Structure formats: C-alpha cells, structure tokens
Amino acid sequence: MNTYQVAVLAGDGIGPEVMHEALRVLSAVAQKYGFSVKCVEKLVGGAGIDACGKALPADTLEACEASDAILFGSVGGPKWESLPPDERPERGALLPLRAYFGLYANLRPGVCLPELTASSPLKDSLIAGGFDILCVRELTGGMYFGEPKFYGERDGELVGLDTMIYHRHEVERIGHLAFRAARSRSCRLCSVDKANVLSASVLWRSVMTELAAQYPDVQLSHMYVDNAAMQLVRNPGQFDVIVTENTFGDILTDEMAMICGSLGMLPSASLCTRNGGKTFGLYEPSGGSAPDIAGQGIANPIAQILSMGMMLRYSLGQPRAADAVDKAVRAVIAAGFRTRDLATGAPGERLIGTASMGDAVLDALT
Ligand code: IPM
Ligand code: MG
C-alpha cells in the first residue's frame, strides 16, 4: 500500500476547524482508494508565535522537509497585528516557506459553479452558467523577493525600495507549467504583464512568446494587467488559463476570488519539484483566517477540502481520489447545502455549519 506523509499546519482563526473537516475527508478517500496518509500536525503562524515566539518554528519546517506535501490552513489575526510586518504570521510563515522550498508556481482555480452565480457580486447576465479560470501565479520572484530591498533614511529622507526583477529561467519554468496546464484544459493561455511600461514585463512577454513555438496547440494571448483587471469583471468567461508574475497575480487572484462568489470555495496549490522530480507543494485555501467567525462552527470548509484534493492530485499522485473529492463537493452544492457565506435565501438551500458540510461531503463520497 502506498503510504504518504503530510505536514498539517492548521494555523490560526478558522484554520483548525476547516482543517478538521479536510482531514476527515482525507482519511475517507484514503481508505476508499487504498492508500494511507500519516499526518504530522505542527504549529504555524500566530499559534507558533504564541508557543515559541516564531511564526515558522524550526520543528515545523523539519516536518515539512520530511513530508510529501504541506497541507496548510490559514494564519494571522488581530492578536498579532501590532508585531513588526516581517514577524507577523502572514509574512513570517508563508513567505519563508515559499522561499525555502522554492514554491515558484501558484495555481489558483477560480471556479464559479452554475449553482453559485447568485453569490457573485457580478450581474447574472455576465456569468450565467458560471465560469472556470485557472490563474498560474509566479510565486518566488518579482517584487516580493527582488534585491535590493530597503526601508529607511537616505539623504535625510525616508524611502522604501523594492525591486521587480525577473530572470529568463524564472519566466521559462512558470511558462512551461502554464502552457502544460492550458493543454490539459481548453488550450487557451493569456499571459498578463505590463510590457508597455516595465522591463521585467518586456522580458516576460518575449519569453512567453518564444515558448509558444513549443506548444503549437495552445493559443497564447497577451494582456496588460490593468486591462486584465477590467476584463475579469466585464467578462470572466473569456479566460481559461492566466499566467502572470507575482504581484500582478496577488492582486488579480483576489479579484478573481471575489467574482467567484465566496472565498470559502477556492483552494490553491504552490508547487516546486523536489527529491528527484516529485511535485512537492503547499496546499491552502485562498481565503484567510477569518478571525471574525473563528470558533463558531460556521466557516465553509470546502476550500480546505478542495486544497486537500489538489494535494492528492499533484503531490500524492492519486488523481482518482482527487476527482472523487471534486465530484463530492459539486454534488453537495448541487444538493443545496450551503454554509452561511454561500447562502442567498433561495428556495432549496439548506443552511448548515462547518461540521455538517464535512458530513455532507463524506456522504457524497460514499
Ligand atoms: C496571498 C497573500 C500573501 C501574498 C500574503 C499573506 C503574504 O496575499 O497568498 O495571496 O501576498 O502572496
Ligand atoms: Mg493575496
């Protein structure tokens, strides 16, 4: 029997409650599809700061290092907001994990299911039938990590400096991944940049254009990021796969999440290649720790469950189990089950809490 090890980092806020549901679903699919998973639970984020003063404690990193994948909940909350920016849970845990493992490819699916179009702030006429976008965001380059970086006094004045830099190899590797992703879907790839202004984007566009020759079956288009922000709310259905650099991806994926209806539905995967070609990754919901609703049993666990499903697909090599998780979630939505974030009050909806949503997914699996 295949046995995998997963580092489980539930974190803060709603993290632990939604993680609990994802782990129940994980053990059910493992049993059903004949593999076993050893979950090693470790502290991260505010929970790590409270326990040992560090958002990413050394033994948490060691457990990640020794695992096939990281299943991450969410970090942060008002309690830690007064810390210096670098030490806050979000930056102190996520950015170091991305940098340490070189998790350069962030896949963020933006799926608006046909049953959930009413939860989207976009008019029904714009999104009838729902839509399905995949954003591939470069995650370890650009302004987030570019050097020099500086904050302080210079010539008697306070300055802040970040550097947007891309190297050819960074654009190539994310480009290949995006072209392959497009190939597995409807063969349309839109590369988003700001090549009318930024040199890093001139490089980005020229490398993407060059790579296109190796993927003649994929139709590549280019779009400026300001236009892309507009097109996403004007006609999201025009997009299939979007590939973009780190900062643009950060902004566009929040916009994409919003128009999908609820952050509580959206998973994500941050990937790299490790240990002789295996896909290692950190899998986390796109939404945050939602401290305002933590501990009330009303958070939507679906994003965490779908993130676990992405882990089955990409890092554990269990595509059938991953398909079963996706299918179960769709069935639960089609049956009318709704956590509070999804409810519109329409007839046929059944308003339920976190644990009941977990139960519903488990029922749909079996
Ligand atoms: C995200 C988040 C992070 C980012 C923060 C928490 C550092 O916004 O994953 O999109 O900016 O990448
Ligand atoms: Mg973000």
Side-chain angles (χ1 to χ4, degrees):
M1 180 154 58
N2 278 324
T3 301
Y4 308 99
Q5 179 171 319
V6 173
V8 174
L9 279 43
D12 311 317
I14 61 170
E17 353 173 358
V18 293
M19 184 66 83
H20 182 73
E21 301 311 315
L23 294 182
R24 287 168 63 208
V25 176
L26 174 59
S27 76
V29 282
Q31 195 171 19
K32 185 162 178 197
Y33 290 90
F35 58 95
S36 87
V37 181
K38 179 179 167 207
C39 291
V40 181
E41 304 198 25
K42 291 289 176 187
L43 297 176
V44 76
I49 293 174
D50 289 350
C52 65
K54 284 209 164 128
L56 185 62
D59 74 315
T60 299
L61 192 60
E62 273 163 35
C64 295
E65 179 78 48
S67 299
D68 297 297
I70 305 167
L71 189 57
F72 196 93
S74 52
V75 294
K79 186 170 174 196
W80 307 282
E81 258 157 32
S82 54
L83 291 170
D86 287 357
E87 291 169 31
R88 275 181 221 161
E90 297 87 337
R91 272 173 69 181
L94 267 180
L95 297 187
L97 277 168
R98 289 175 187 170
Y100 183 84
F101 289 105
L103 301 167
Y104 70 94
N106 183 214
L107 308 189
R108 295 195 171 172
V111 178
C112 180
L113 295 174
E115 298 90 347
L116 295 180
T117 53
S119 309
S120 167
L122 294 187
K123 284 202 221 71
D124 244 6
S125 58
L126 294 177
I127 51 168
F131 55 86
D132 179 346
I133 307 173
L134 174 67
C135 184
V136 177
R137 168 187 173 194
E138 201 289 328
L139 202 60
T140 49
M143 280 198 287
Y144 275 63
F145 297 98
E147 294 289 346
K149 245 186 197 307
F150 177 76
Y151 176 82
E153 287 268 333
R154 218 178 244 187
D155 302 326
E157 192 181 10
L158 193 57
V159 298
L161 167 74
D162 299 283
T163 302
M164 183 187 273
I165 180 168
Y166 270 99
H167 300 84
R168 182 190 180 85
H169 76 271
E170 295 174 290
V171 185
E172 271 179 8
R173 66 181 176 183
I174 193 76
H176 280 298
L177 193 137
F179 273 101
R180 287 199 304 268
R183 198 169 247 179
S184 73
R185 294 166 53 108
S186 74
C187 288
R188 284 184 298 119
L189 177 62
C190 180
S191 171
V192 170
D193 64 38
K194 189 69 186 170
N196 50 346
V197 178
L198 303 172
S199 301
S201 281
V202 173
L203 171 84
W204 184 276
R205 189 174 285 218
S206 86
V207 174
M208 289 294 165
T209 305
E210 204 183 295
L211 292 185
Q214 297 175 46
Y215 301 87
D217 51 324
V218 176
Q219 191 194 324
L220 173 69
S221 59
H222 302 277
M223 197 180 277
Y224 295 137
V225 62
D226 47 350
N227 187 27
M230 183 171 77
Q231 295 299 332
L232 268 175
V233 289
R234 197 186 72 89
N235 174 19
Q238 72 185 282
F239 295 106
D240 181 30
V241 180
I242 294 174
V243 62
T244 192
E245 67 89 43
N246 206 346
T247 306
F248 299 161
D250 179 43
I251 298 166
L252 291 182
T253 54
D254 259 29
E255 186 187 4
M256 192 178 78
M258 188 71 224
I259 62 173
C260 285
S262 172
L263 269 178
M265 293 294 293
L266 302 180
S268 81
S270 304
L271 309 175
C272 68
T273 307
R274 282 187 89 209
N275 301 338
K278 284 201 215 141
T279 302
F280 181 79
L282 180 151
Y283 299 84
E284 62 174 326
S286 283
S289 57
D292 53 322
I293 59 163
Q296 298 175 36
I298 57 175
N300 186 350
I302 290 182
Q304 189 76 60
I305 292 170
L306 291 174
S307 299
M308 183 277 290
M310 289 183 92
M311 175 182 85
L312 294 173
R313 191 178 306 285
Y314 295 108
S315 288
L316 307 195
Q318 294 288 340
R320 284 171 56 237
D323 287 345
V325 171
D326 290 349
K327 213 175 129 206
V329 166
R330 284 176 192 240
V332 161
I333 295 299
F337 292 107
R338 300 284 185 272
T339 39
R340 215 188 48 163
D341 53 310
L342 303 174
T344 63
E349 286 185 356
R350 289 185 261 183
L351 185 62
I352 57 174
T354 311
S356 305
M357 188 57 103
D359 289 340
V361 174
L362 282 170
D363 284 348
L365 266 178
T366 44

